[in-house]
Amino acid sequence: MQFKTASRAFSSSPLYLGFDLSTQQLKAIIVDSQLKVHNEVRFEFDVDAKGYSVEKGVLTHEELHEVYAPVAMWLQAVDVVMERLKADGLDFSRIKAISGAGQQHGSVYWSFAGEQVLQSLDSSQTLEKQLDHAFSHPFSPNWQDASTQAECDLFDKELSSEEQLALITGSKAHHRFTGPQILRFQRHNPEAYCKTSRISLVSSWLASVFLGKIAPMDISDVCGANLWDINAGNWNKQLMSLASNGDPNDLARKLGPVPEDGGADLGRISEYFVQRYGFAADCRIVPFTGDNPSTILALPLRSGDAMVSLGTSTTFLMSTHQYKPDPAVHFFNHPTTASLYMFMLCYKNGGLARENIRDAINSQHTPPPTDIWANFNTTAESTPPAGQNNSSSLMRLGLFFPRPEIVPNVRAGIWRYAYTPASGTLSEITGANPETWSIPKHDARAIVESQLLSLRLRSRDIVEKSPDHPSLPAQPRRIYLVGGGSKDPTISALAGQILGGSEGVHKLDVGQNACALGAAYKAVWAAERKEGETFEELIGKRWDEEKFSVKVGDGYDERLYGIYGEALKGFERMEKKVLNDEKKSSGKSML
């Protein structure tokens, strides 16, 4: 358990509770109206859970590529987190509203009896004891699950192509998405599906527990299902028919309606929590959203701002007015602001790929460095942009995928190419050549450039010219870096050189609390907004930028941005060539 506490002076001022139900833990954060954190507690599934033999929060069936979590374990986590908040001295009666975030795409299957039990809980008993058998299926598929390839193929074909599926739902079919998961569930567990009263996302499941009845899905999180028609604002009947084996109306009843307002008042907290913990009877429940949408709420991310999460994987998030779906990207409704969309890119290869090259460079140095990234950074910084010694010489471009990648969709492997902008010549480099490509020396800068060029390539149609900087080319307004890689000065510098950032590159420091904070801020906004006041307006007035954000780079540099603009042309050609070559060698269509 970890927590930090603000001043505990007696007060009747309102507090707000935000949850984050992730793969490995349940976290709760309490903030006040000025966004100051008062309490933080967590329940780590591997460490704290009793009676569930999970590893990294999940169970796996490797032969079937299944990854899932026991729903009852999450109930135990809620019980313990609430007790820890109580032990921390929290006055629950001050909590005015609650929201939360849940791992995206996962589904929970309520039984008919379970829905009734939820509405008549006994405050003298735990949630785990009362709701343990409230589900027609005891497990929830995790976002890492890869058991639905056959179902994904059907989804991609149902509307004629993956491009059309992305146009309607914001994404092509993915293993983890809820629609393919429901289709597989009703195929493999038909009896359990028939006994299912309602289906929740992880986020709306947690909201249901606190509401005391089945809560509707959030307008943003529902976009991770491959079932919601984003433009029409409703379930797509053709896809619903596919997922339900021909009974779309029954599935629509199971999934329920979806309110358009991300700050809607879903109702008062369950009487169970009023009696057991002393919540005020008028504490309101606000729609719980997905973890990625909640992340962009951890700061007042304005349209045109970009957030880059540099962890084991890489995630790129933007808030935008534009809806330009493509099979390589994800679009969601914005979790709070109806005029905006959330644009997202997800890569499997991020920190691990950089670490492999770091280790290769360090192996050439003795003794081992105290700072394990020092040699990598020095090597990358001493290499010219795109490996180009002068404007007429070749550029070094590469793809570095120790794991199979999804953007682009290609097998694990490393590809290195030489590109000459003046002639447009692109040629693969095989083997180590100290002059053309010294391995691992030239890999250091090339891998960071490769990862950032991919972001620039896929966001180029989304970024817009800034009205505050009309003379600059279209680019993100601000770039916020989060995650382990955000601490690296070399990555910060290259992010600005390649992606731009008319108002600089900033490191966002909210610890590991972005999702929970975003949820708590959502509760503040929902409860305290004036009519027509957006999340960005209300939270922007109260968010302490100096506390959570520090500028780590100037961002846009005309000369360097231009060099990488030329590199981008070669990078795009290189990706297409690799995909075509792989298609020919495998004899299969590259999806």
Side-chain angles (χ1 to χ4, degrees):
M1 177 179 69
Q2 296 182 4
F3 58 84
K4 50 186 177 183
T5 307
S7 173
R8 296 265 179 96
F10 289 105
S11 173
S12 59
S13 60
L15 298 175
Y16 299 89
L17 173 54
F19 285 100
D20 172 22
L21 176 48
S22 68
T23 299
Q24 298 192 45
Q25 64 181 356
L26 174 67
K27 181 182 296 179
I29 281 184
I30 305 290
V31 303
D32 60 26
S33 294
Q34 297 305 312
L35 313 184
K36 187 175 183 180
V37 174
H38 284 244
N39 308 76
E40 175 193 335
V41 300
R42 70 187 68 192
F43 179 98
E44 297 183 10
F45 300 135
D46 285 14
V47 176
D48 297 324
K50 307 299 182 184
Y52 304 96
S53 301
V54 295
E55 183 176 350
K56 296 184 177 179
V58 295
L59 302 169
T60 59
H61 191 311
E62 293 186 6
E63 289 184 4
L64 297 178
H65 307 292
E66 292 179 339
V67 184
Y68 48 91
V71 179
M73 178 181 70
W74 296 343
L75 291 168
Q76 183 182 111
V78 175
D79 287 327
V80 174
V81 161
M82 297 305 295
E83 290 300 326
R84 288 177 176 176
L85 285 171
K86 183 178 180 180
D88 198 30
L90 175 63
D91 180 357
F92 291 96
S93 68
R94 292 175 57 191
I95 297 176
K96 187 175 182 180
I98 303 173
S99 189
Q103 51 189 277
Q104 284 197 269
H105 316 297
S107 43
V108 179
Y109 301 86
W110 294 91
S111 68
F112 288 91
E115 190 173 0
Q116 296 173 358
V117 172
L118 183 63
Q119 299 178 38
S120 55
L121 293 170
D122 180 351
S123 62
S124 68
Q125 299 185 50
T126 65
L127 294 169
E128 182 185 16
K129 183 176 182 180
Q130 297 179 81
L131 291 171
D132 186 19
H133 301 293
F135 311 101
S136 60
H137 186 61
F139 303 109
S140 173
N142 181 262
W143 63 270
Q144 300 170 92
D145 185 278
S147 65
T148 58
Q149 184 58 56
E151 289 74 20
C152 285
D153 290 343
L154 291 173
F155 265 78
D156 279 333
K157 294 174 183 176
E158 183 66 22
L159 300 182
S160 75
S161 68
E162 61 183 27
E163 287 79 11
Q164 187 65 16
L165 181 63
L167 178 65
I168 298 297
T169 70
S171 303
K172 73 169 200 173
H174 290 274
H175 294 144
R176 64 189 185 276
F177 272 47
T178 320
Q181 289 286 346
I182 291 173
L183 175 57
R184 186 176 189 273
F185 177 64
Q186 64 94 2
R187 282 173 147 189
H188 289 258
N189 300 277
E191 292 186 7
Y193 183 79
C194 288
K195 295 177 181 178
T196 298
S197 169
R198 296 292 300 273
I199 301 174
S200 294
L201 297 175
V202 174
S203 58
S204 61
W205 172 84
L206 187 56
S208 301
V209 170
F210 283 90
L211 189 62
K213 59 183 179 181
I214 305 301
M217 296 179 183
D218 166 74
I219 190 63
S220 181
D221 205 14
V222 72
C223 299
N226 279 142
L227 294 172
W228 187 257
D229 187 326
I230 291 179
N231 283 326
N234 209 337
W235 301 111
N236 181 277
K237 196 160 188 176
Q238 191 172 343
L239 295 170
M240 293 281 280
S241 181
L242 170 64
S244 63
N245 195 26
D247 197 346
N249 293 332
D250 178 64
L251 180 56
R253 183 191 60 75
K254 283 178 165 64
L255 295 172
V258 180
E260 293 185 6
D261 182 6
D265 181 354
L266 300 183
R268 296 183 177 186
I269 192 169
S270 167
E271 185 66 19
Y272 171 87
F273 292 95
V274 175
Q275 295 181 9
R276 188 173 178 89
Y277 297 104
F279 279 88
D282 62 352
C283 174
R284 315 307 291 192
I285 306 301
V286 177
F288 287 32
T289 191
D291 52 3
N292 287 305
S294 192
T295 296
I296 70 170
L297 300 180
L299 73 163
L301 196 71
R302 292 178 286 175
S303 179
D305 289 343
M307 182 184 292
V308 184
S309 178
L310 299 164
T312 303
S313 58
T314 297
T315 304
F316 180 87
L317 301 167
M318 277 193 73
S319 179
T320 177
H321 289 285
Q322 301 187 71
Y323 182 68
K324 295 183 177 180
D326 181 272
V329 306
H330 301 286
F331 271 89
F332 298 81
N333 288 318
H334 192 277
T336 62
T337 309
S339 62
L340 295 175
Y341 299 97
M342 187 185 81
F343 167 77
M344 184 170 73
L345 287 165
C346 295
Y347 298 81
K348 288 186 177 180
N349 292 278
L352 176 63
R354 295 191 298 272
E355 290 167 10
N356 287 348
I357 294 172
R358 175 204 67 190
D359 294 344
I361 291 172
N362 284 342
S363 69
Q364 298 180 345
H365 293 76
T366 52
T370 304
D371 179 356
I372 60 174
W373 285 102
N375 291 327
F376 178 95
N377 289 343
T378 299
T379 304
E381 291 167 6
S382 64
T383 304
Q388 189 180 40
N389 295 316
N390 57 67
S391 59
S392 61
S393 63
L394 61 83
M395 292 179 167
R396 300 186 193 96
L397 302 172
L399 298 173
F400 303 84
F401 302 145
R403 296 173 175 170
E405 186 51 78
I406 53 178
V407 184
N409 196 331
V410 70
R411 65 174 174 84
I414 296 176
W415 295 266
R416 299 179 179 89
Y417 278 79
Y419 174 65
T420 306
S423 63
T425 304
L426 181 70
S427 56
E428 186 172 7
I429 299 172
T430 56
N433 183 323
E435 295 298 323
T436 307
W437 198 306
S438 177
I439 302 172
K441 175 183 175 182
H442 290 146
D443 288 347
R445 190 179 186 101
I447 188 174
V448 180
E449 291 175 334
S450 175
Q451 293 175 340
L452 293 170
L453 281 169
S454 182
L455 297 181
R456 179 166 167 179
L457 173 65
R458 290 170 172 86
S459 64
R460 66 184 176 187
D461 293 332
I462 304 300
V463 295
E464 302 176 86
K465 280 181 171 288
S466 169
D468 298 325
H469 308 278
S471 63
L472 300 184
Q475 61 189 283
R477 189 184 70 92
R478 287 192 178 189
I479 297 169
Y480 291 95
L481 304 179
V482 298
S486 67
K487 302 173 184 177
D488 192 303
T490 301
I491 294 178
S492 300
L494 284 171
Q497 294 171 19
I498 296 173
L499 298 175
S502 59
E503 295 187 11
V505 178
H506 302 252
K507 183 170 76 72
L508 184 64
D509 187 10
V510 292
Q512 302 299 314
N513 296 334
C515 292
L517 279 175
Y521 294 172
K522 190 172 191 264
V524 173
W525 166 73
E528 299 193 6
R529 59 180 169 168
K530 299 174 183 176
E531 185 174 355
E533 188 174 21
T534 67
F535 177 90
E536 293 77 18
E537 290 168 344
L538 186 145
I539 299 300
K541 296 173 187 175
R542 306 179 187 186
W543 191 66
D544 188 347
E545 183 168 357
E546 292 184 358
K547 181 178 180 181
F548 293 120
S549 172
V550 59
K551 189 173 182 179
V552 293
D554 293 331
Y556 175 74
D557 179 289
E558 182 178 5
R559 182 184 71 85
L560 293 171
Y561 194 79
I563 289 174
Y564 284 112
E566 288 298 319
L568 192 67
K569 299 174 185 176
F571 185 85
E572 184 175 19
R573 286 182 55 194
M574 174 186 65
E575 271 200 359
K576 289 179 178 178
K577 186 176 189 310
V578 168
L579 290 171
N580 287 334
D581 289 348
E582 289 298 305
K583 177 181 176 180
K584 291 176 183 177
S585 65
S586 66
K588 298 179 181 178
S589 173
M590 297 298 295
L591 299 180

